[in-house]
Amino acid sequence: MGAILIRNVDDSLKQALRVQAAKNGRSMEEEARILLNRGVHENAAGEESFYVSFRRCVEQFGGVEIPLPERELPGEPIDFGR
């Protein structure tokens, strides 16, 4: 399975996730996986997820192009004096 890193998460959101995970007896990582899965796929009640609803709305206009920033190459490696 793949892994992702999410940067710049607001401290209050992280704390809310921690509390929710504890209430559900799960780790923050497991809680986040569950929430991401629900957000992308339809939930158990058969309602559309935000992703599915949004995609259905924008497809009638030809979709949405989201510009991605150019990636920068990492800096020079550190010279440890070998």
Short mmCIF file of all heavy atoms in Angstrom, two decimals, residues 27-51:
data_model
loop_
_atom_site.label_atom_id
_atom_site.label_comp_id
_atom_site.label_asym_id
_atom_site.label_seq_id
_atom_site.Cartn_x
_atom_site.Cartn_y
_atom_site.Cartn_z
N SER A 27 -6.13 4.93 16.24
CA SER A 27 -5.01 5.85 16.11
C SER A 27 -5.43 6.99 15.20
O SER A 27 -6.40 6.88 14.44
CB SER A 27 -3.80 5.13 15.52
OG SER A 27 -4.05 4.79 14.17
N MET A 28 -4.69 8.11 15.25
CA MET A 28 -4.97 9.22 14.35
C MET A 28 -4.82 8.79 12.90
O MET A 28 -5.60 9.19 12.04
CB MET A 28 -4.02 10.40 14.62
CG MET A 28 -4.45 11.26 15.78
SD MET A 28 -3.37 12.69 16.09
CE MET A 28 -2.85 13.24 14.51
N GLU A 29 -3.83 7.97 12.63
CA GLU A 29 -3.59 7.51 11.27
C GLU A 29 -4.77 6.69 10.75
O GLU A 29 -5.24 6.90 9.63
CB GLU A 29 -2.31 6.68 11.23
CG GLU A 29 -1.90 6.24 9.85
CD GLU A 29 -0.58 5.48 9.83
OE1 GLU A 29 0.00 5.24 10.90
OE2 GLU A 29 -0.17 5.11 8.74
N GLU A 30 -5.27 5.78 11.57
CA GLU A 30 -6.42 4.96 11.16
C GLU A 30 -7.66 5.83 10.97
O GLU A 30 -8.42 5.66 10.02
CB GLU A 30 -6.69 3.86 12.18
CG GLU A 30 -7.88 2.98 11.85
CD GLU A 30 -7.71 2.17 10.56
OE1 GLU A 30 -6.57 2.01 10.07
OE2 GLU A 30 -8.73 1.70 10.02
N GLU A 31 -7.86 6.79 11.88
CA GLU A 31 -9.02 7.69 11.77
C GLU A 31 -8.94 8.49 10.47
O GLU A 31 -9.94 8.64 9.76
CB GLU A 31 -9.07 8.62 12.97
CG GLU A 31 -10.36 9.38 13.12
CD GLU A 31 -11.53 8.51 13.56
OE1 GLU A 31 -11.34 7.41 14.11
OE2 GLU A 31 -12.68 8.96 13.36
N ALA A 32 -7.76 8.99 10.14
CA ALA A 32 -7.58 9.75 8.91
C ALA A 32 -7.84 8.88 7.68
O ALA A 32 -8.47 9.34 6.72
CB ALA A 32 -6.17 10.34 8.85
N ARG A 33 -7.37 7.63 7.72
CA ARG A 33 -7.63 6.71 6.59
C ARG A 33 -9.12 6.51 6.39
O ARG A 33 -9.62 6.54 5.26
CB ARG A 33 -6.96 5.35 6.84
CG ARG A 33 -5.61 5.20 6.23
CD ARG A 33 -5.17 3.75 6.21
NE ARG A 33 -5.17 3.13 7.51
CZ ARG A 33 -4.12 3.15 8.35
NH1 ARG A 33 -3.01 3.77 8.00
NH2 ARG A 33 -4.18 2.56 9.51
N ILE A 34 -9.84 6.31 7.47
CA ILE A 34 -11.28 6.09 7.38
C ILE A 34 -11.98 7.32 6.81
O ILE A 34 -12.83 7.22 5.93
CB ILE A 34 -11.85 5.70 8.76
CG1 ILE A 34 -11.38 4.29 9.13
CG2 ILE A 34 -13.37 5.80 8.80
CD1 ILE A 34 -11.64 3.89 10.56
N LEU A 35 -11.61 8.50 7.31
CA LEU A 35 -12.23 9.73 6.84
C LEU A 35 -11.91 10.00 5.37
O LEU A 35 -12.80 10.43 4.60
CB LEU A 35 -11.80 10.92 7.70
CG LEU A 35 -12.31 10.88 9.14
CD1 LEU A 35 -11.64 11.96 9.98
CD2 LEU A 35 -13.82 11.01 9.20
N LEU A 36 -10.68 9.75 4.96
CA LEU A 36 -10.33 9.93 3.55
C LEU A 36 -11.12 8.97 2.67
O LEU A 36 -11.61 9.35 1.60
CB LEU A 36 -8.83 9.71 3.34
CG LEU A 36 -7.93 10.86 3.76
CD1 LEU A 36 -6.47 10.41 3.77
CD2 LEU A 36 -8.12 12.04 2.83
N ASN A 37 -11.22 7.74 3.10
CA ASN A 37 -11.96 6.74 2.34
C ASN A 37 -13.42 7.15 2.19
O ASN A 37 -14.00 7.06 1.10
CB ASN A 37 -11.84 5.37 3.01
CG ASN A 37 -12.31 4.25 2.12
OD1 ASN A 37 -12.12 4.28 0.91
ND2 ASN A 37 -12.92 3.25 2.71
N ARG A 38 -14.03 7.61 3.26
CA ARG A 38 -15.42 8.06 3.20
C ARG A 38 -15.56 9.28 2.30
O ARG A 38 -16.57 9.44 1.60
CB ARG A 38 -15.94 8.41 4.59
CG ARG A 38 -16.23 7.23 5.44
CD ARG A 38 -16.76 7.68 6.78
NE ARG A 38 -16.84 6.56 7.70
CZ ARG A 38 -16.91 6.69 9.01
NH1 ARG A 38 -16.91 7.88 9.57
NH2 ARG A 38 -16.98 5.62 9.78
N GLY A 39 -14.58 10.18 2.35
CA GLY A 39 -14.64 11.40 1.55
C GLY A 39 -14.52 11.14 0.06
O GLY A 39 -15.05 11.90 -0.74
N VAL A 40 -13.84 10.09 -0.32
CA VAL A 40 -13.62 9.80 -1.73
C VAL A 40 -14.67 8.86 -2.29
O VAL A 40 -15.10 9.00 -3.42
CB VAL A 40 -12.20 9.22 -1.94
CG1 VAL A 40 -12.01 8.73 -3.36
CG2 VAL A 40 -11.15 10.26 -1.58
N HIS A 41 -15.11 7.92 -1.50
CA HIS A 41 -16.10 6.94 -1.96
C HIS A 41 -17.47 7.24 -1.36
O HIS A 41 -17.61 7.99 -0.40
CB HIS A 41 -15.66 5.53 -1.54
CG HIS A 41 -14.35 5.14 -2.13
ND1 HIS A 41 -13.18 5.23 -1.43
CD2 HIS A 41 -14.02 4.68 -3.36
CE1 HIS A 41 -12.18 4.84 -2.20
NE2 HIS A 41 -12.66 4.51 -3.37
N GLU A 42 -18.46 6.63 -1.94
CA GLU A 42 -19.80 6.79 -1.39
C GLU A 42 -19.86 6.19 0.00
O GLU A 42 -19.22 5.18 0.28
CB GLU A 42 -20.82 6.11 -2.30
CG GLU A 42 -20.99 6.79 -3.63
CD GLU A 42 -22.07 6.17 -4.49
OE1 GLU A 42 -22.79 5.29 -4.02
OE2 GLU A 42 -22.17 6.59 -5.64
N ASN A 43 -20.62 6.82 0.87
CA ASN A 43 -20.72 6.28 2.23
C ASN A 43 -21.70 5.11 2.27
O ASN A 43 -22.37 4.80 1.29
CB ASN A 43 -21.09 7.38 3.23
CG ASN A 43 -22.48 7.92 3.03
OD1 ASN A 43 -23.35 7.25 2.50
ND2 ASN A 43 -22.70 9.14 3.44
N ALA A 44 -21.78 4.47 3.41
CA ALA A 44 -22.57 3.25 3.56
C ALA A 44 -24.06 3.48 3.31
O ALA A 44 -24.76 2.57 2.91
CB ALA A 44 -22.35 2.67 4.94
N ALA A 45 -24.54 4.70 3.52
CA ALA A 45 -25.96 5.00 3.32
C ALA A 45 -26.30 5.20 1.85
O ALA A 45 -27.45 5.40 1.50
CB ALA A 45 -26.36 6.24 4.12
N GLY A 46 -25.29 5.16 0.97
CA GLY A 46 -25.54 5.31 -0.44
C GLY A 46 -25.56 6.75 -0.90
O GLY A 46 -25.81 7.03 -2.06
N GLU A 47 -25.27 7.70 0.00
CA GLU A 47 -25.23 9.10 -0.40
C GLU A 47 -23.93 9.37 -1.15
O GLU A 47 -22.93 8.72 -0.93
CB GLU A 47 -25.31 10.00 0.83
CG GLU A 47 -26.59 9.85 1.61
CD GLU A 47 -26.56 10.62 2.92
OE1 GLU A 47 -25.59 11.37 3.15
OE2 GLU A 47 -27.49 10.45 3.70
N GLU A 48 -23.98 10.34 -2.04
CA GLU A 48 -22.78 10.69 -2.77
C GLU A 48 -21.77 11.37 -1.85
O GLU A 48 -22.14 12.18 -1.00
CB GLU A 48 -23.10 11.65 -3.91
CG GLU A 48 -23.73 11.01 -5.10
CD GLU A 48 -23.90 12.00 -6.23
OE1 GLU A 48 -23.96 13.22 -6.00
OE2 GLU A 48 -24.01 11.52 -7.37
N SER A 49 -20.52 11.05 -2.06
CA SER A 49 -19.46 11.75 -1.34
C SER A 49 -19.29 13.12 -1.97
O SER A 49 -19.79 13.40 -3.07
CB SER A 49 -18.16 10.97 -1.43
OG SER A 49 -17.68 10.97 -2.76
N PHE A 50 -18.56 13.98 -1.30
CA PHE A 50 -18.27 15.30 -1.85
C PHE A 50 -17.56 15.15 -3.20
O PHE A 50 -17.86 15.84 -4.16
CB PHE A 50 -17.40 16.11 -0.89
CG PHE A 50 -16.93 17.40 -1.49
CD1 PHE A 50 -17.78 18.49 -1.59
CD2 PHE A 50 -15.65 17.52 -1.98
CE1 PHE A 50 -17.35 19.67 -2.17
CE2 PHE A 50 -15.21 18.70 -2.56
CZ PHE A 50 -16.06 19.78 -2.65
N TYR A 51 -16.61 14.24 -3.27
CA TYR A 51 -15.84 14.01 -4.50
C TYR A 51 -16.77 13.66 -5.66
O TYR A 51 -16.68 14.24 -6.74
CB TYR A 51 -14.81 12.91 -4.28
CG TYR A 51 -14.13 12.46 -5.55
CD1 TYR A 51 -13.10 13.19 -6.11
CD2 TYR A 51 -14.53 11.29 -6.19
CE1 TYR A 51 -12.48 12.78 -7.28
CE2 TYR A 51 -13.92 10.87 -7.36
CZ TYR A 51 -12.90 11.62 -7.90
OH TYR A 51 -12.30 11.22 -9.05
#
